[in-house]
């Protein structure tokens, strides 16, 4: 359940972050579907990386062993 929550929050954050990018000048004029697909792939990749980072950080035990 924790992973699902982290992935959902990460998805919302990555979509918010990627929506601010202006990538229309990268693609040819009129290739809107390709740019939307690229945005989707970038946001999913960013979601995966951010969620795994948060899950890995939360699993680190900072207390030294006695």
């Amino acid at each position: 359940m924790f992973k699902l929550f982290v992935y959902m929050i990460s998805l919302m954050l990555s979509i918010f972050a990627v929506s601010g990018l202006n990538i229309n000048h990268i693609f040819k004029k009129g290739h809107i579907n390709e740019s939307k697909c690229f945005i989707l792939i970038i946001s999913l990749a960013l979601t995966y990386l951010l969620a795994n980072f948060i899950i890995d950080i939360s699993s680190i035990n900072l207390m030294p062993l006695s």
Side-chain angles (χ1 to χ4, degrees):
M1 193 66 166
F2 175 70
K3 282 187 177 183
L4 180 64
F5 178 73
V6 170
Y7 272 102
M8 294 304 289
I9 295 297
S10 298
L11 181 64
M12 288 187 281
L13 285 173
S14 67
I15 289 174
F16 176 73
V18 172
S19 67
L21 296 176
N22 184 10
I23 62 160
N24 292 331
H25 64 280
I26 297 173
F27 296 96
K28 293 179 182 176
K29 196 170 193 168
H31 290 252
I32 298 170
N33 291 333
E34 286 85 356
S35 64
K36 287 181 181 180
C37 183
F38 182 73
I39 291 286
L40 178 66
I41 290 170
I42 293 297
S43 62
L44 288 176
L46 188 59
T47 299
Y48 176 76
L49 290 172
L50 181 61
N52 281 328
F53 175 75
I54 292 170
I55 291 168
D56 287 344
I57 290 295
S58 68
S59 67
I60 293 176
N61 188 4
L62 297 176
M63 297 296 293
L65 297 174
S66 303

